[in-house]
C-alpha cells in the first residue's frame, strides 16, 4: 500500500549550491490515520522539512509524495487535500476571528461552516473579537481552525501547541486524536517529547538536518539511556560511595558535587569547580 506521506532522501539547501544544507538525507513515511512526529531542538531542520512536504519549496535532492502527488510540481491535487498550520500565521489584525475564518473559507471549494471550525478549536466565544486582541494561544488555535477548514485528508502542523496553556494543549491533543480516528494523516513538528508520546505512532528525532533516531515512540525512548542526576551533600565523599554501575561524576552545580547515571563508566571522585 502506498503511504499517504512519503519522504525519501530529502535534502534542502538554502542559498544555492554553496549555501547551507538544513535538511540532509531525511526519509520517513506516514499512512492513513497515522501521526508521524518530527522532534528536535531549534534549528534541527523540522520546519525546513515540513515546508517541502507542504509544497512551499522544491527539494534540493530526494523525493516527496503526498497522496501520490509531488506537492511542489503537482501543487493543486496535493494542496487541495492538505491542511497546513505554519509556525507563525499572519492574519489581518483588524478582522474579527469569524471574519478571518470566513475570508479563508471563501478560498476553498468545500469549507466547513465557520461556526463548526471555531467550535472545533474552542474559539466560538471569541468569534466577534478582533484578531489583534486574541492571545498568542488563541491565535495558534485560529491557525489550526484555518488548517482544518477544508476537511483535509493530510494535516501538516508546525509546533501546533507552542504557547498554549496546559488545558488548551490537552484539548488540541484530543482534537488531533479525533482527526486521526477519522483517518486524517498528520505530520507534526514539536519540541515536546510528551506531545510525541501522547500522539505519535512513529517519530523521528532530528539534529543538524539529519534523523538521528526513528521508530515507534517506545523504540526511540528505549534507545536512549535514562539520565538521573543527583547531588551529594557536601559532607559525603564520592570516593566512599559503593560502586554504582553506569554512573559518572557530572558537572557540579554551585559548590556541590553531582553524579549522572546513564553511562557505563565507573564513578570516580568528583572535584569541586
Ligand atoms: N530561509 C532560510 N535561509 C537560510 N537558512 C535558513 C532559512 N530557514 C531556515 N534556515 C536555517 O536552517 C536551519 C534549520 O531551520 P529550521 O527552521 O528548519 O529548524 P527547526 O528544527 O524547525 O527549528 P525551530 O524548532 O526553531 O523551529 C537553521 O540553521 C536555520 O537557521
Amino acid at each position: 500500500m502506498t503511504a499517504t506521506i512519503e519522504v525519501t532522501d530529502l535534502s534542502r539547501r538554502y542559498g544555492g549550491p554553496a549555501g547551507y544544507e538544513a535538511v540532509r538525507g531525511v526519509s520517513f513515511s506516514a499512512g492513513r490515520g497515522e501521526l508521524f512526529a518530527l522532534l528536535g531542538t531549534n534549528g534541527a531542520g523540522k520546519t525546513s522539512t515540513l515546508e517541502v512536504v507542504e509544497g512551499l519549496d522544491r527539494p534540493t535532492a530526494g523525493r516527496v509524495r503526498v497522496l501520490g502527488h509531488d506537492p511542489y510540481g503537482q501543487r493543486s491535487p496535493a494542496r487541495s487535500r492538505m491542511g497546513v498550520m505554519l509556525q507563525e500565521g499572519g492574519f489581518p489584525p483588524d478582522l474579527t476571528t469569524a471574519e478571518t475564518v470566513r475570508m479563508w473559507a471563501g478560498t476553498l471549494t468545500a469549507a466547513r461552516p465557520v461556526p463548526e471550525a471555531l467550535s472545533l478549536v474552542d474559539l466560538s466565544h471569541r468569534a466577534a473579537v478582533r484578531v489583534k486582541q486574541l492571545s498568542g494561544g488563541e491565535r495558534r488555535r485560529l491557525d489550526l481552525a484555518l488548517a482544518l477548514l477544508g476537511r483535509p485528508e493530510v494535516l501538516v502542523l508546525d509546533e501546533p501547541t507552542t504557547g498554549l496553556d496546559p488545558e488548551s494543549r490537552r484539548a488540541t491533543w484530543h482534537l488531533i486524536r479525533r482527526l486521526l480516528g477519522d483517518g486524517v494523516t498528520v505530520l507534526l513538528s514539536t519540541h515536546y517529547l510528551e506531545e510525541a508520546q501522547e500522539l505519535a505512532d512513529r517519530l523521528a528525532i532530528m539534529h543538524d538536518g539529519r534523523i538521528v533516531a526513528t521508530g515507534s515512540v517506545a523504540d526511540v525512548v528505549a534507545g536512549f539511556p535514562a539520565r538521573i542526576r543527583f547531588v551529594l551533600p557536601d559532607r559525603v565523599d564520592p570516593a566512599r560511595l559503593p560502586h554504582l554501575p553506569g554512573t559518572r561524576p557530572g558537572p557540579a552545580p554551585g559548590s556541590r558535587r553531582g553524579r549522572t547515571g546513564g553511562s557505563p563508566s565507573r564513578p570516580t571522585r568528583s572535584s569541586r569547580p
Side-chain angles (χ1 to χ4, degrees):
M1 198 183 73
T2 325
T4 307
I5 300 175
E6 208 163 7
V7 173
T8 314
D9 284 334
L10 171 67
S11 295
R12 185 177 183 193
R13 188 186 292 276
Y14 294 108
Y20 178 67
E21 196 173 27
V23 182
R24 306 166 188 220
V26 161
S27 299
F28 60 86
S29 65
R32 187 173 186 277
E34 261 193 338
L35 186 143
F36 191 90
L38 290 178
L39 210 78
T41 49
N42 292 128
K46 305 180 297 298
T47 298
S48 300
T49 303
L50 296 192
E51 285 176 352
V52 181
V53 174
E54 290 156 10
L56 296 179
D57 198 3
R58 61 156 60 101
T60 307
R63 192 179 120 111
V64 176
R65 290 290 176 271
V66 177
L67 295 157
H69 301 285
D70 168 359
Y72 186 82
Q74 303 164 281
R75 199 171 160 76
S76 40
R79 280 304 302 267
S80 61
R81 295 158 71 186
M82 205 189 304
V84 169
M85 181 179 176
L86 302 175
Q87 211 173 94
E88 279 174 35
F91 303 116
D94 288 318
L95 293 185
T96 67
T97 304
E99 285 165 352
T100 304
V101 178
R102 201 169 302 122
M103 184 183 75
W104 196 255
T107 68
L108 303 171
T109 41
R112 290 178 200 269
V114 173
E116 180 187 322
L118 290 179
S119 152
L120 276 175
V121 296
D122 196 20
L123 276 181
S124 307
H125 62 296
R126 305 291 274 161
V129 171
R130 284 182 204 281
V131 166
K132 65 183 174 195
Q133 290 164 333
L134 295 179
S135 71
E138 286 170 339
R139 265 181 240 181
R140 276 323 267 151
R141 276 148 55 201
L142 176 56
D143 257 326
L144 182 56
L146 300 188
L148 296 175
L149 208 49
R151 304 178 197 277
E153 292 164 65
V154 177
L155 255 184
V156 182
L157 306 176
D158 200 350
E159 297 181 21
T161 65
T162 297
L164 298 194
D165 60 42
E167 194 184 329
S168 302
R169 178 169 291 161
R170 273 192 295 278
T172 301
W173 290 349
H174 182 71
L175 172 59
I176 292 173
R177 274 195 224 100
R178 259 180 55 198
L179 295 163
L180 292 168
D182 291 342
V184 176
T185 303
V186 183
L187 174 61
L188 167 148
S189 82
T190 182
H191 290 155
Y192 308 120
L193 177 60
E194 186 196 2
E195 183 155 292
Q197 285 178 307
E198 281 288 329
L199 296 174
D201 296 285
R202 284 174 305 119
L203 64 89
I205 297 186
M206 286 189 76
H207 179 68
D208 214 6
R210 297 181 206 281
I211 290 181
V212 293
T214 187
S216 70
V217 176
D219 286 348
V220 172
V221 171
F224 287 90
R227 276 183 178 272
I228 301 166
R229 293 171 60 90
F230 61 92
V231 177
L232 299 175
D234 279 343
R235 63 182 182 282
V236 177
D237 179 355
R240 294 180 65 85
L241 287 178
H243 171 60
L244 301 173
T247 66
R248 64 183 163 80
S255 64
R256 300 179 141 225
R257 289 162 279 199
R259 181 160 283 180
T260 303
S263 136
S265 60
R266 191 184 159 81
T268 53
R269 179 182 286 270
S270 164
S271 59
R272 284 167 180 257

